[in-house]
Amino acid sequence: MITDKPGLLDEVRSRFAHVDACPFEGPRVFFENAGGALRLKSVIETSAAYAGYPDNQGRDNPASKALMAAIDKGRADMRLFLNAPGGQIFVGESGTEVLFRLVRTAALGAAEGGVMLGSTLEHPASRSAMARWADVTGRPHLLAVHDDATGTVSLEEYQRHITTDVRVATIVQTSPVTGMSVDVPAIAAAIREKAPEAFIIVDGIQHASHGHIDCAAYGVDGYAVSPYKVFARHGYGFGWASDRLTACKKEQVVGGPAHVWELGTRDAGAYATFSDVVDYLDWLGGRFTEATDRRARVEAAAAAIHDHEARLMGAMLHGTGNLRGLAEMPGVTLIGGAATKGREGVVSLVLDGVESGALVNFLSAEGIRVHVRNDDHYCGNILKPLGLRSCIRVSVCHYNSLEEVARFLSAIEAAAENRGAGAS
């Protein structure tokens, strides 16, 4: 646990920009991490440096060679982060664009006929890509249905739809609305058992900042990450594609290397900033293991992050000190239940008698940043079945503290007491 090591949480927080104050509004608690985590200070410095370099990649000069070295290191660090020893790492414009490319390539490269399988839990990034390419290729798009009560989709529900006809399957590793994780290895294994040639694509965008990733153990063909949710910056996403998916025909410059996924020149700073992320995880993991292997330290960091966030989630849901948790507060409805097991950094809720937008504003006035989620193309898949027009999403990260959770719980109690006034 991060807080079991005196001073470590302060060290962690010192490495992030604007950890306790908004540059526009002043002091605040940042519980909007699912919308984009705080940036590492090293990422900001690297971004500025690379934005200023005038040279281009692939030239015969020292500056260009330095850029190419940064790209090679970035790719290696992305591969290390995912534990993906084979296949190809590539950078795209966003995590959503990466998912679209992975799904499109799989749909066009798979054997003819069959079906494409996803779930109702998925973010529209993967679900929209699947719907588009199921339509183009004339395949049914089947959906395993998530459970409203638990906020996740089970292996058993996927198994109801898995047949030898599955050609492409998508799995969201963690829901960005309910915060509940999905058993990727078990679902992927079940698909492989009946449809061994199916292409399996994982949306790891919400999961990536909260814990362990092991593409080598998942048995899948594609994985997508949005670095701005993993302490880096906006403006790029990156993906991993297995060798068999990479072998499929895809958009490429004519005459270029067959294994290349990237189109045009990508920003060398994108790769360099993700090296900053892995360097940070390497440092953090080194506080929990004496291992010299870099992957082992990244895994130790992931375990520490997971354990710290589990403690924060437990306090938020079930109380801390003399404060009761959300699960015990009258008038609070939790999206996806009150379980802490399998929850990764997110709690979504509604407070009876208080419109969600008004509650966000009330909390903002109390110095707490959260976000409203509406019944729209992003969150309607979760909210519509519950008959809800909106909710608020509270999302934590490992640099948040129990004291910040306590402030939030006190503010929710105040909002409940103030329903007829400022929070309504």
Side-chain angles (χ1 to χ4, degrees), residues 258-283:
H259 68 278
V260 172
W261 284 77
E262 291 166 353
L263 297 169
T265 303
R266 304 307 308 183
D267 175 17
Y271 291 98
T273 53
F274 206 80
S275 286
D276 287 329
V277 172
V278 176
D279 288 346
Y280 166 74
L281 295 173
D282 186 0
W283 166 80

Side-chain angles (χ1 to χ4, degrees), residues 27-45:
R28 55 92 178 93
V29 172
F30 191 75
F31 279 166
E32 225 276 271
N33 295 284
L38 296 177
R39 310 285 188 269
L40 284 162
K41 292 176 180 176
S42 58
V43 163
I44 297 168
E45 294 166 0

Side-chain angles (χ1 to χ4, degrees), residues 76-281:
D77 285 335
M78 291 169 180
R79 192 180 292 281
L80 179 81
F81 178 72
L82 299 177
N83 196 33
Q88 294 295 317
I89 296 287
F90 66 98
V91 162
E93 69 180 54
S94 66
T96 295
E97 187 264 349
V98 166
L99 281 168
F100 264 80
R101 288 205 70 198
L102 291 169
V103 169
R104 177 167 68 246
T105 303
L108 295 175
E112 292 186 3
V115 303
M116 296 172 68
L117 174 61
S119 79
T120 60
L121 190 67
E122 291 178 41
H123 186 278
S126 58
R127 189 165 167 182
S128 299
M130 288 285 279
R132 162 69 176 161
W133 291 98
D135 181 58
V136 170
T137 59
R139 297 183 176 106
H141 181 203
L142 307 182
L143 295 172
V145 179
H146 72 276
D147 179 36
D148 292 333
T150 62
T152 189
V153 58
S154 67
L155 168 63
E156 292 73 23
E157 173 59 19
Y158 258 94
Q159 286 175 321
R160 291 182 56 242
H161 304 276
I162 298 171
T163 67
T164 57
D165 291 330
V166 175
R167 298 289 187 267
V168 183
T170 45
I171 308 170
V172 61
Q173 194 159 14
T174 301
S175 166
V177 183
T178 71
M180 301 305 291
S181 59
V182 175
D183 192 342
V184 169
I187 293 170
I191 294 168
R192 286 274 177 256
E193 183 178 0
K194 289 193 175 180
E197 298 304 311
F199 289 110
I200 305 172
I201 312 298
V202 177
D203 172 359
I205 291 170
Q206 189 59 45
H207 170 76
S209 68
H210 297 294
H212 185 71
I213 300 174
D214 192 350
C215 286
Y218 295 161
V220 300
D221 296 286
Y223 198 96
V225 174
S226 287
Y228 78 96
K229 293 198 176 189
V230 200
F231 326 130
R233 60 171 172 80
H234 278 281
Y236 74 108
F238 77 85
W240 167 79
S242 67
D243 288 326
R244 63 191 291 265
L245 183 56
T246 296
C248 295
K249 290 183 179 179
K250 51 192 172 293
E251 295 90 346
Q252 289 184 302
V253 175
V254 173
H259 68 278
V260 172
W261 284 77
E262 291 166 353
L263 297 169
T265 303
R266 304 307 308 183
D267 175 17
Y271 291 98
T273 53
F274 206 80
S275 286
D276 287 329
V277 172
V278 176
D279 288 346
Y280 166 74
L281 295 173

Side-chain angles (χ1 to χ4, degrees), residues 1-5 7-10 12-13 16 19 31 33 209-211 231 280 284 288 300-316 340 343-346 396-405:
M1 266 295 302
I2 289 172
T3 52
D4 292 338
K5 293 183 176 293
L8 181 55
L9 183 57
D10 289 335
V12 166
R13 287 169 68 87
F16 289 87
V19 70
F31 279 166
N33 295 284
S209 68
H210 297 294
F231 326 130
Y280 166 74
L284 180 60
F288 294 91
I305 286 168
H306 183 273
D307 289 348
H308 180 73
E309 292 180 357
R311 184 174 293 185
L312 297 180
M313 287 287 94
M316 189 170 287
T340 53
R343 186 179 296 278
E344 295 189 339
V346 172
V396 308
C397 208
H398 70 282
Y399 41 69
N400 290 124
S401 67
L402 280 172
E403 290 76 16
E404 290 177 323
V405 171

